[in-house]
Amino acid sequence: MEIANLPDLGPIASELTLAIGGMALLLLGAFRGDGALRLVGYGAVLLFGLAAVLVIGQPNETVLGFHGAIIMDPFAKFMKVLILIGSAVAVIMSLNYLEQEKLDRFEYPVLIVFATLGMLMMVSANDLLALYMGLELQSLALYVVASFNRDSLRSTESGLKYFVLGALASGMLLYGSSLVYGFSGTTNFPSIAEAATGHGMPLGILFGMVFILAGLAFKVSAVPFHMWTPDVYEGAPTPVTAFFAAAPKIAAIALFIRVMMGAFPEAVAQWQQVVVFISIASMVLGAFAAIGQRNIKRLMAYSSIGHMGFALVGLAAGTAQGIQGVLIYLSIYLVMNAGVFCCILAMRRAEGMVENIDELAGLSKERPVLAFVFAMFMFSLAGIPPLAGFFAKFYVFVASIDADLYALSVIGVLSSVVGAFYYLRIVKIMFFDEPVEPFEVPLAREVSIVLTLSSLFTIFFFVHPATLISLATTAAASLSSGAVAVVGH
């Protein structure tokens, strides 16, 4: 009888794989001791691949688990595969760097595995408690990863800043969740959705929703909760910055969408105003604050703030078309981001990593292929057609125009034009400025493979965009129909 009462573990098969595999890798690293980084690292990549296969093998319908606290639908499948790709790429990019910088400790890939486990739980959360558990599991691992270089004052400082501000954001989110629970009597998203409709939303739920929005905005580094981003990006080791800029952002945006569309689908008029403000502020600050930056990682921090603003344009629309735009945007952003950080990892001289943009001068004369690829990524981030970045922005702006958010669309386009200035300045420095010292040896093989694949995707995306668009459409449609089906359930 007890066996019959066991919960169905199908919806969390990928999470279980990462949890068990992460502990196995931890034991393997502990027994092997020094020199276990590559073994544990490739083991983590295999784990991510296995988890992705298990996610893709899930049925294309809404499946609930653990009394409705966990949900698996095409939206969750799409986002989980993106997160797993981002985490695997981050581990692959980091191995050579960690060995060169004498940071080859096996704990790094293990921490990435546990952070990714938290992200997958966030994407599948259908309950405030499941949401918080996934968020904290991800955050605790990321706090350690941010300060992984224990001998660097900047790295330690960045980890501490991230921890203190992250704790503040978690507190706000938890306070908002307690308000929502107090006024709705439930932590389950569909039940909250029922309590927030009818004769108007209770004031307590409205306040709770605003606090939850603030906590989530911190996780995506949206303005005005962005203050940790430039310092953490600059202080953390470069592969860690690459990881921070991709997978955790995708998971946080997925959680943003899940909460707004799952728990507050009838309160679009209320949360739309907040999301529009956050989106505009992030786009504008990302565009203007990056202009004066000379450190490439700080510049990428402000760039990521701006890009999260663009992604939130789709959510602000509050429609399936808007969600589809967000999913396409995040997919393309993940690939572009991986490529840019591969190029940043190539900025190495005999004395170590170079992070100053001005030291890219003359790169086109010394390494023309790398300079060309880097320029393509810069053009794509700026949204110049026919590169992939143009299509990313195109779909979110079309959704916002169809939702009659004309002011948001105009400000977004203007911000994109301003942002193009600092991307094009990097191209100008590489191609037209006088060369400085030559760079060191070519890229590691793993980084070269990632760079090649990401550049091919970015440059030739326009040839066949249909597959990604089709997958994003299915995922977005499942979110709106899934919410209704679960409420009925």
Side-chain angles (χ1 to χ4, degrees):
M1 190 60 126
E2 286 182 14
I3 294 174
N5 290 333
L6 279 173
D8 178 19
L9 301 178
I12 60 161
S14 53
E15 285 88 337
L16 283 175
T17 303
L18 291 188
I20 296 167
M23 288 186 279
L25 289 177
L26 187 61
L27 288 172
L28 174 65
F31 282 121
R32 282 295 299 267
D34 292 338
L37 173 68
R38 280 198 174 265
L39 180 62
V40 176
Y42 286 124
V45 173
L46 282 174
L47 265 184
F48 294 139
L50 178 58
V53 169
L54 290 171
V55 169
I56 294 167
Q58 294 285 338
N60 276 326
E61 57 190 29
T62 302
V63 179
L64 295 173
F66 296 88
H67 304 286
I70 298 293
I71 184 169
M72 174 58 85
D73 53 10
F75 173 79
K77 287 176 65 174
F78 187 97
M79 299 307 276
K80 284 184 178 184
V81 170
L82 272 192
I83 290 164
L84 289 164
I85 291 171
S87 298
V89 167
V91 172
I92 291 167
M93 286 167 57
S94 64
L95 296 177
N96 191 63
Y97 173 92
L98 293 174
E99 287 173 345
Q100 288 179 321
E101 298 292 320
K102 304 293 187 287
L103 295 173
D104 49 340
R105 299 194 295 274
F106 72 87
E107 293 93 336
Y108 177 81
V110 175
L111 286 165
I112 299 289
V113 168
F114 287 123
T116 308
L117 167 61
M119 292 176 215
L120 299 194
M121 291 178 65
M122 287 160 62
V123 173
S124 278
N126 197 40
D127 186 284
L128 290 172
L129 295 177
L131 173 159
Y132 191 71
M133 191 165 68
L135 199 64
E136 285 305 295
L137 178 56
Q138 175 226 34
S139 298
L140 288 171
L142 292 185
Y143 297 148
V144 182
V145 170
S147 54
F148 194 71
N149 187 358
R150 294 176 299 199
D151 299 326
S152 165
L153 188 62
R154 284 198 312 171
S155 180
T156 310
E157 180 189 346
S158 71
L160 189 60
K161 281 180 180 173
Y162 189 42
F163 171 68
V164 172
L165 292 168
L168 175 66
S170 294
M172 293 172 73
L173 193 132
L174 201 56
Y175 180 61
S177 301
S178 64
L179 277 174
V180 170
Y181 172 68
F183 282 84
S184 66
T186 179
T187 56
N188 188 260
F189 288 173
S191 303
I192 292 169
E194 287 181 345
T197 55
H199 301 293
M201 182 187 291
L203 195 60
I205 293 182
L206 184 63
F207 271 104
M209 184 184 73
V210 171
F211 274 104
I212 290 172
L213 272 168
L216 294 176
F218 174 90
K219 297 300 176 185
V220 298
S221 67
V223 177
F225 305 99
H226 65 286
M227 63 289 289
W228 60 274
T229 316
D231 292 335
V232 172
Y233 274 44
E234 184 183 8
T238 303
V240 174
T241 307
F243 178 61
F244 269 61
K249 296 286 179 72
I250 292 169
I253 289 279
L255 187 58
F256 222 124
I257 295 169
R258 178 74 79 190
V259 173
M260 294 301 106
M261 302 300 283
F264 306 105
E266 300 299 322
V268 175
Q270 283 84 1
W271 57 255
Q272 187 183 56
Q273 302 168 45
V274 181
V275 175
V276 166
F277 168 76
I278 290 173
S279 174
I280 290 173
S282 300
M283 290 187 294
V284 171
L285 182 117
F288 284 96
I291 290 173
Q293 300 304 319
R294 287 289 174 267
N295 183 291
I296 187 78
K297 284 159 71 175
R298 284 187 80 86
L299 184 141
M300 289 306 297
Y302 285 110
S303 170
S304 78
I305 292 168
H307 281 287
M308 290 304 104
F310 288 118
L312 289 172
V313 169
L315 176 59
T319 60
Q321 184 189 7
I323 304 305
Q324 176 208 18
V326 177
L327 301 188
I328 295 169
Y329 197 101
L330 292 176
S331 306
I332 293 171
Y333 172 75
L334 171 67
V335 178
M336 293 190 299
N337 198 70
V340 169
F341 276 97
C342 284
C343 294
I344 293 172
L345 284 169
M347 295 168 61
R348 172 180 284 279
R349 294 207 173 93
E351 64 272 17
M353 293 295 296
V354 174
E355 294 179 5
N356 196 312
I357 295 167
D358 294 327
E359 297 196 50
L360 283 167
L363 183 65
S364 62
K365 296 179 181 63
E366 186 190 329
R367 313 244 313 254
V369 176
L370 180 63
F372 170 77
V373 170
F374 203 177
M376 288 301 102
F377 286 126
M378 292 296 106
F379 286 136
S380 185
L381 286 169
I384 294 172
L387 299 170
F390 166 76
F391 292 94
K393 291 180 180 176
F394 174 77
Y395 282 104
V396 291
F397 286 140
V398 166
S400 69
I401 289 168
D402 287 349
D404 298 331
L405 298 173
Y406 301 116
L408 176 63
S409 305
V410 170
I411 293 170
V413 171
L414 292 175
S415 300
S416 190
V417 172
V418 174
F421 170 78
Y422 58 81
Y423 294 127
L424 298 181
R425 189 183 72 206
I426 294 175
V427 177
K428 173 254 179 191
I429 289 170
M430 288 192 297
F431 282 86
F432 299 109
D433 284 13
E434 286 303 311
V436 287
E437 298 174 56
F439 285 100
E440 215 189 17
V441 291
L443 282 167
R445 189 175 71 252
E446 304 100 326
V447 179
S448 298
I449 293 169
V450 173
L451 182 58
T452 303
L453 293 174
S454 56
S455 58
L456 289 173
F457 178 93
T458 303
I459 296 169
F460 296 109
F461 175 76
F462 72 93
V463 175
H464 185 70
T467 304
L468 177 60
I469 293 167
S470 171
L471 290 170
T473 305
T474 305
S478 78
L479 194 66
S480 39
S481 62
V484 176
V486 175
V487 170
H489 175 85

